[in-house]
Amino acid sequence: MNTKKAFYTNSPRTHEKSVGIPKGHIVLNNFLSAPAVVRNELFGHIALANSETGYTERELNVIKRIADLYGLSMERKQMEEALRKSEASLSNAQRISHVGNWDWDIVNNKLKFSEEIYRILGMENQEFGDTNEDFLKFVHPDDELFVQDNINMAIYEHKPYSIDYRLLLLDGSECIVHEEAEVTFNETDQAIRMFGTMQDITERKKVEEAIQQYAYIFENVRIGLYVYYLENLDDDRTLRLIAANPAASDFTGVPNEVILGNTLDEIFPGLREKDIPQTYAEVVRTGQSRVLEDIYYGDERVLENTFSVKVFPLPNNCVGVAFDNITERKKAEEAMVNAKLVAEAANKSKAEFIANMTHELTTPLNAVIGFSEMLMLGTFGTLNDKQTRYANNINSSGKHLLDLIDDILDLSKVEAGKMELHINEFFVSDAIDEVEALMIPIASQKNIDLTCNIDIETPTIKADTIKFKQILYNLVNNAIKFTDQGGFVIIGGKISEDLVHIYVKDSGIGISPEDQDKLFNPFFQADSSSTREYGGTGLGLALIKKFVEMHGGKIWVESEVGKGSTFRFSIPTSLKSTSH
């Protein structure tokens, strides 16, 4: 049986190759065997035994033909199994690589897809038609003409194509595919079949776009960027520079082409004493970013500068180093600190000077005011009309100058942070009534109607009573001063959301928009003519703005030239004592 040749014998026991019959085997009177052999491969045998008449050459030939057919059948089955396994392997390979293949019978317009293409399209094969037109429905409208042009060139100009285009999937999303195809032709040069492959490259395209974007940033960003590769995770001396952007060369003064490929210690030997290589290697090992501030460095070839450095991990044992030259910023910061110290010293000197000067000025001024009042009272004898007028001018001018000095001193204290708030609880309406009572005689001199419009539900607030009255007094006094004969001034107020809102509205001359921005600056005057006509030092509004801000509030103005002004301020209803 272990042979690839057909034979028969009618005397098995005496056959030359007989080795006897195994124990228990039936007795063989005659025997015929034909092997099933195809291309020298044995698939089995067909054997017959114990014919009543024996076997002949004719019977042997019949069995041989049957064995040949059996061999061919077994070979075909084997090939089909191999093909099935190959197709399964191809399907798995296509699934893994997202590559499918297709076959278009151009003559009959029949299109066949592999399973991976159906996966790319997100559908089952029974959901899809079998013509080229069915497939073209999935091509993005903006790409359809491009795809059709390439198909036409392949068919009519014998040009295989390799293109990228977009598909619109059933769920409304888009995917990008890469397709390669070519056409086969018959003997009359007629296109009969087109074969192609299709690969989903959506993710690859996203990566490529990201790489292009990062490459652009890497080349054009105005911070230095180095990429080091740590060849040995246990040795920070193996940090080797593998990439650098143009800004890095600008910052260090060292051309990138000179240092690329060298180790960190070879490029910047002085950094080891600052533990920089050790830090970079640690970032690679731990995957934790680090920020290094104020790294000062310079050597015989590297420009002396101060850098702010961010170190971040990258894949494959690499580390990114982003650094910015902050030398000028540090110089500016130092200059600002020095300027602040100088300004503080100047302010201190100014405060001391103002305090000394106010003392030196107020002492004689108080004497002048006191003696002028004594003259006016006739303490030293009766004055005539002219003398009385002169004494009155001396007294009023002295008081005006004293008020000015007091304002300068108060402003200086606020700016120096030495002004304190003395908080107590009081009725807002009482404070307003008190200011109104003081201002009514002044308003009456110009026939100005001074009224109050108060809507205060909360009975009391906690604030500095004196400064609150000073704010209101200044605003009302200004309103009367800049309102013509027969005009009006209204004091209004209300409470909302833990704030008290006060306003003073007048029908006066108004303020231009450009002057409103500078109105609360010290010594600002709207113009020289106003100063001559209305008087004033330009300190009042600056001072009350400080008072409002000390309370944690704000003050502003709404005005139109020729139509009057409304000054408003808001402060919290409850404030703790503080100094500014």
Side-chain angles (χ1 to χ4, degrees), residues 208-364:
E208 288 175 355
E209 290 174 2
I211 290 173
Q212 291 175 357
Q213 180 181 5
Y214 290 137
Y216 177 83
I217 294 173
F218 187 81
E219 291 298 321
N220 294 279
V221 70
R222 292 311 303 160
I223 60 172
L225 289 172
Y226 283 149
V227 178
Y228 291 95
Y229 170 61
L230 184 59
E231 297 173 348
N232 184 342
L233 285 174
D234 298 322
D235 186 0
D236 55 51
R237 295 182 183 276
T238 63
L239 282 162
R240 193 172 299 278
L241 184 65
I242 61 174
N245 73 337
S249 178
D250 296 340
F251 287 165
T252 62
V254 183
N256 291 334
E257 58 270 18
V258 174
I259 58 177
L260 279 170
N262 294 332
T263 66
L264 178 59
D265 286 300
E266 291 169 341
I267 301 168
F268 308 117
L271 289 180
R272 180 158 291 277
E273 64 187 39
K274 300 178 183 290
D275 292 333
I276 300 301
Q278 299 91 319
T279 301
Y280 291 3
E282 190 64 22
V283 169
V284 175
R285 288 190 286 263
T286 64
Q288 300 295 317
S289 299
R290 291 283 302 277
V291 176
L292 310 175
E293 290 290 352
D294 300 344
I295 303 300
Y296 178 79
Y297 186 77
D299 57 32
E300 62 273 7
R301 66 175 181 177
V302 179
L303 300 175
E304 292 188 2
N305 283 303
T306 303
F307 298 97
S308 173
V309 182
K310 181 172 184 181
V311 191
F312 51 93
L314 293 172
N316 304 317
N317 296 340
C318 291
V319 61
V321 180
F323 58 97
D324 193 9
N325 187 340
I326 60 172
T327 305
E328 294 303 319
R329 190 182 82 191
K330 294 299 292 184
K331 290 179 180 178
E333 288 175 354
E334 291 175 4
M336 288 177 63
V337 170
N338 292 333
K340 184 173 182 291
L341 293 174
V342 171
E344 288 175 349
N347 277 334
K348 184 178 180 181
S349 298
K350 182 183 74 173
E352 292 175 352
F353 170 77
I354 291 174
N356 292 332
M357 287 303 297
T358 51
H359 175 73
E360 296 298 325
L361 290 172
T362 53
T363 300

Side-chain angles (χ1 to χ4, degrees), residues 76-89:
R76 179 178 177 182
K77 187 173 182 180
Q78 187 181 64
M79 292 176 66
E80 287 175 348
E81 179 63 20
L83 178 61
R84 187 191 66 77
K85 290 180 179 179
S86 176
E87 288 177 343
S89 177

Side-chain angles (χ1 to χ4, degrees), residues 257-548:
E257 58 270 18
V258 174
I259 58 177
L260 279 170
N262 294 332
T263 66
L264 178 59
D265 286 300
E266 291 169 341
I267 301 168
F268 308 117
L271 289 180
R272 180 158 291 277
E273 64 187 39
K274 300 178 183 290
D275 292 333
I276 300 301
Q278 299 91 319
T279 301
Y280 291 3
E282 190 64 22
V283 169
V284 175
R285 288 190 286 263
T286 64
Q288 300 295 317
S289 299
R290 291 283 302 277
V291 176
L292 310 175
E293 290 290 352
D294 300 344
I295 303 300
Y296 178 79
Y297 186 77
D299 57 32
E300 62 273 7
R301 66 175 181 177
V302 179
L303 300 175
E304 292 188 2
N305 283 303
T306 303
F307 298 97
S308 173
V309 182
K310 181 172 184 181
V311 191
F312 51 93
L314 293 172
N316 304 317
N317 296 340
C318 291
V319 61
V321 180
F323 58 97
D324 193 9
N325 187 340
I326 60 172
T327 305
E328 294 303 319
R329 190 182 82 191
K330 294 299 292 184
K331 290 179 180 178
E333 288 175 354
E334 291 175 4
M336 288 177 63
V337 170
N338 292 333
K340 184 173 182 291
L341 293 174
V342 171
E344 288 175 349
N347 277 334
K348 184 178 180 181
S349 298
K350 182 183 74 173
E352 292 175 352
F353 170 77
I354 291 174
N356 292 332
M357 287 303 297
T358 51
H359 175 73
E360 296 298 325
L361 290 172
T362 53
T363 300
L365 268 177
N366 283 324
V368 170
I369 293 170
F371 280 114
S372 64
E373 288 178 346
M374 292 174 67
L375 288 171
M376 291 167 61
L377 292 172
T379 305
F380 304 107
T382 304
L383 303 179
N384 59 35
D385 291 344
K386 187 174 183 181
Q387 290 171 333
T388 301
R389 188 169 62 255
Y390 287 164
N392 186 62
N393 288 340
I394 293 171
N395 183 265
S396 61
S397 296
K399 288 182 178 179
H400 176 72
L401 186 56
L402 186 61
D403 289 341
L404 174 60
I405 293 171
D406 287 340
D407 284 348
I408 293 174
L409 182 59
D410 285 345
L411 189 62
S412 175
K413 286 181 179 179
V414 172
E415 290 178 345
K418 295 182 178 180
M419 176 70 74
E420 293 185 353
L421 292 178
H422 300 284
I423 305 302
N424 58 337
E425 191 170 359
F426 63 93
F427 290 96
V428 176
S429 56
D430 287 352
I432 294 176
D433 289 344
E434 192 173 325
V435 172
E436 182 186 18
L438 288 172
M439 301 308 297
I440 283 177
I442 301 174
S444 299
Q445 293 175 9
K446 299 177 68 175
N447 196 26
I448 291 174
D449 182 20
L450 177 60
T451 58
C452 287
N453 182 14
I454 305 299
D455 181 18
I456 305 294
E457 296 179 359
T458 302
T460 61
I461 67 169
K462 291 182 179 180
D464 188 314
T465 311
I466 302 300
K467 291 181 175 56
F468 182 86
K469 293 178 184 177
Q470 194 170 347
I471 295 167
L472 190 57
Y473 178 87
N474 188 288
L475 293 177
V476 176
N477 187 54
N478 280 350
I480 294 172
K481 182 192 301 182
F482 292 99
T483 298
D484 294 335
Q485 292 277 344
F488 67 84
V489 173
I490 301 173
I491 304 172
K494 65 177 182 178
I495 295 285
S496 69
E497 297 182 359
D498 301 326
L499 292 173
V500 56
H501 305 276
I502 304 295
Y503 71 87
V504 176
K505 182 176 182 179
D506 64 60
S507 59
I509 61 175
I511 306 164
S512 67
E514 56 269 21
D515 285 342
Q516 290 177 32
D517 296 334
K518 299 173 284 186
L519 197 60
F520 295 98
N521 294 340
F523 303 105
F524 174 75
Q525 299 283 314
D527 56 50
S528 58
S529 63
S530 292
T531 302
R532 287 194 298 268
E533 183 177 353
Y534 298 103
T537 63
L539 283 176
L541 289 176
L543 186 59
I544 66 170
K545 181 176 185 288
K546 297 289 186 181
F547 288 169
V548 170

Side-chain angles (χ1 to χ4, degrees), residues 144-178:
E144 188 173 352
L145 183 60
F146 168 71
V147 173
Q148 190 62 62
D149 285 346
N150 278 275
I151 293 174
N152 291 340
M153 285 190 291
I155 293 174
Y156 300 114
E157 301 179 26
H158 297 210
K159 291 182 178 179
Y161 64 78
S162 175
I163 59 174
D164 298 341
Y165 62 92
R166 293 166 293 172
L167 294 175
L168 284 177
L169 307 184
L170 290 177
D171 61 4
S173 62
E174 293 183 11
C175 79
I176 305 172
V177 296
H178 174 74

Side-chain angles (χ1 to χ4, degrees), residues 102-106 111 132 150-155 159 161 179 181-184 191-196:
W102 51 268
D103 178 1
W104 180 27
D105 179 351
I106 300 175
L111 188 60
N132 187 50
N150 278 275
I151 293 174
N152 291 340
M153 285 190 291
I155 293 174
K159 291 182 178 179
Y161 64 78
E179 185 173 79
E182 61 181 52
V183 178
T184 58
I192 57 174
R193 217 168 194 88
M194 179 181 280
F195 304 92

